């Protein structure tokens, strides 16, 4: 795709340029040289290699408690903020146990028990209009002390997070819109999550934020989609780094489950880029890891993706 930079460029300085510690992780899954998001995120969340499509399980099907669940059990506040559905593979790996990443009703049923303190993402229909049963998981969440609201009741851009123990905001009935079609909540939700969790965090907090649709642009071989989602994600990163700089005691780690599309820049100049893709699927390439804050230096070097879990656990829980 030849792109007009006027459509997709930004005059804002990139937040990622502020990060000096960079490592590389090896992303393969247990059963394939090329991982999917479920296996890749399970490696981050639980420290085990697993089969593609598995969530929270090792390759033999044994459950492993995620870092998010471990943190919550120790009184550490937790959050999930994504631009996909909240039951999509990457966020689901932090709270669900399933051999099928597409079993969205079953995955949603695991979320209330995880007691995540701050939740923002799409997928409301998997909680209150389920195909597998007649459960209303939103009712269950409210019984657990959640304040639950959604895009139909109010616009996230003008929403003030209430002073309550737990919050869930559903940004779409299914998948949220792409950024170029008006979705703009990720940077604000990231800042909101940090403020919400840090005010309640006597023992610290753990927050997973995903710029989910960068991957979807790669699958679509749409460079404009990738770039616009990267700009949106970078704005969320800016909010996180601004908080971390003020706080002085927050570690920020940024990486991806995998590469999607095999995007390369094959030429161009300022004003136009010539971008090419090698596949509509994932690739087996190694993935950069960017780290900022206390303990950042431990994320330099080359290591397996499971080590991200072990490095985070040592810094957060030990």
């Amino acid at each position: 795709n030849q792109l007009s930079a006027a459509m997709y460029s930004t005059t804002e300085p990139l937040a990622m340029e502020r990060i000096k510690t960079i490592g590389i992780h090896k992303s393969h899954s247990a059963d394939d040289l090329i991982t999917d998001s479920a296996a890749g995120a399970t490696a981050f969340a639980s420290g085990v290699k697993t089969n593609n499509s598995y969530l929270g399980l090792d390759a033999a099907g044994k459950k492993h408690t995620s870092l998010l669940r471990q943190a919550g059990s120790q009184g550490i506040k937790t959050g999930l903020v994504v631009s996909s559905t909240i039951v999509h593979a990457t966020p689901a790996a932090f709270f669900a146990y399933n051999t099928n990443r597409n079993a969205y009703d079953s995955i949603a049923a695991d979320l209330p028990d995880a007691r995540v303190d701050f939740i923002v993402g799409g997928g409301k229909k998997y909680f209150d209009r389920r195909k597998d049963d007649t459960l209303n998981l939103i009712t269950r969440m409210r019984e657990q002390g959640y304040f639950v609201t959604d895009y139909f009741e109010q616009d996230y851009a003008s929403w003030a997070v209430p002073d309550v123990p737990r919050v869930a905001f559903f940004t779409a009935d299914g998948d949220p819109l792409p950024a170029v079609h008006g979705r703009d909540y990720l940077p604000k939700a990231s800042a909101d999550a940090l403020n919400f969790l840090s005010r309640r965090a006597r023992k610290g907090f753990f927050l997973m934020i995903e710029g989910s649709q960068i991957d979807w642009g790669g699958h679509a071989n749409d460079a404009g989609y990738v770039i616009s989602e990267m700009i949106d994600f970078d704005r969320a990163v800016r909010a996180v780094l601004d908080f971390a700089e003020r706080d002085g005691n927050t570690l920020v780690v940024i990486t991806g489950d995998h590469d999607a599309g095999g995007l390369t820049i094959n030429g161009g100049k300022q004003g136009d880029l010539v971008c090419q893709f090698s596949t509509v699927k994932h690739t087996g390439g190694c993935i950069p890891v960017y780290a900022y804050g206390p303990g950042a230096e431990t994320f330099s070097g080359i290591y397996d993706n499971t080590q991200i879990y072990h490095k985070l656990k040592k810094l957060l829980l030990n």
Side-chain angles (χ1 to χ4, degrees):
N1 297 330
Q2 188 162 343
L3 304 175
S4 168
M7 288 183 64
Y8 301 107
S9 66
T10 176
T11 58
E12 303 165 9
L14 294 177
M16 295 287 286
E17 294 178 353
R18 291 151 62 180
I19 300 175
K20 306 305 179 186
T21 301
I22 303 174
I24 295 175
H25 79 71
K26 296 176 283 187
S27 63
H28 63 279
S29 63
D31 63 344
D32 203 307
L33 289 174
I34 298 176
T35 192
D36 75 341
S37 291
T42 295
F44 300 156
S46 299
V48 294
K49 289 286 190 182
T50 194
N51 300 330
N52 286 347
S53 193
Y54 280 27
L55 296 165
L57 312 170
D58 63 22
K62 179 182 176 182
K63 290 183 179 181
H64 288 261
T65 305
S66 72
L67 187 61
L68 180 145
R69 283 181 175 267
Q70 291 177 60
S73 70
Q74 295 188 23
I76 295 171
K77 298 302 180 182
T78 60
L80 294 170
V81 174
V82 298
S83 54
S84 63
T85 67
I86 202 65
V87 294
H88 211 258
T90 298
F94 287 84
F95 66 82
Y97 303 104
N98 214 293
T99 58
N100 179 9
R101 58 173 286 178
N102 296 316
Y104 297 131
D105 277 12
S106 178
I107 291 166
D110 283 340
L111 183 57
D113 292 338
R115 304 294 178 97
V116 184
D117 297 291
F118 190 94
I119 299 168
V120 175
K124 181 176 181 285
K125 64 182 179 181
Y126 302 112
F127 291 80
D128 64 355
R129 282 165 291 115
R130 297 158 53 80
K131 294 180 180 179
D132 292 352
D133 54 48
T134 59
L135 290 175
N136 189 318
L137 298 176
I138 291 178
T139 298
R140 179 181 295 180
M141 292 171 73
R142 285 175 172 152
E143 291 171 350
Q144 292 177 340
Y146 277 93
F147 177 90
V148 183
T149 188
D150 60 62
Y151 69 100
F152 193 74
E153 295 182 9
Q154 51 209 317
D155 181 10
Y156 193 92
S158 59
W159 183 57
V161 181
D163 185 12
V164 293
R166 292 191 177 99
V167 168
F169 190 111
F170 291 101
T171 57
D173 199 42
D175 293 326
L177 293 170
V180 293
H181 292 161
R183 190 206 74 239
D184 60 359
Y185 67 80
L186 192 66
K188 180 180 183 298
S190 300
D192 286 345
L194 291 165
N195 292 330
F196 182 91
L197 296 173
S198 64
R199 288 199 304 268
R200 293 159 175 79
R202 286 178 290 180
K203 295 185 177 181
F205 64 86
F206 175 83
L207 171 63
M208 198 288 291
I209 301 168
E210 185 190 30
S212 317
Q213 297 192 37
I214 300 166
D215 169 67
W216 303 359
H219 284 297
N221 282 191
D222 186 335
Y225 194 176
V226 173
I227 293 169
S228 59
E229 292 295 328
M230 281 295 300
I231 291 171
D232 181 64
F233 180 65
D234 191 75
R235 289 171 179 151
V237 170
R238 181 180 298 109
V240 173
L241 291 178
D242 287 348
F243 174 90
E245 287 179 0
R246 292 193 304 269
D247 178 68
N249 199 35
T250 296
L251 169 66
V252 181
V253 179
I254 305 165
T255 190
D257 302 333
H258 50 70
D259 169 67
L263 173 63
T264 60
I265 298 173
N266 286 352
K269 57 185 179 180
Q270 186 174 3
D272 290 289
L273 296 176
V274 179
C275 298
Q276 298 292 333
F277 294 86
S278 61
T279 180
V280 297
K281 299 180 180 180
H282 299 167
T283 72
C286 291
I287 308 299
V289 182
Y290 304 87
Y292 175 91
E297 66 280 356
T298 64
F299 290 86
S300 62
I302 302 173
Y303 41 84
D304 204 74
N305 58 359
T306 55
Q307 289 302 307
I308 292 175
Y309 163 86
H310 293 291
K311 293 172 188 290
L312 287 172
K313 181 179 178 181
K314 184 175 181 180
L315 292 165
L316 182 65
L317 303 184
N318 294 346

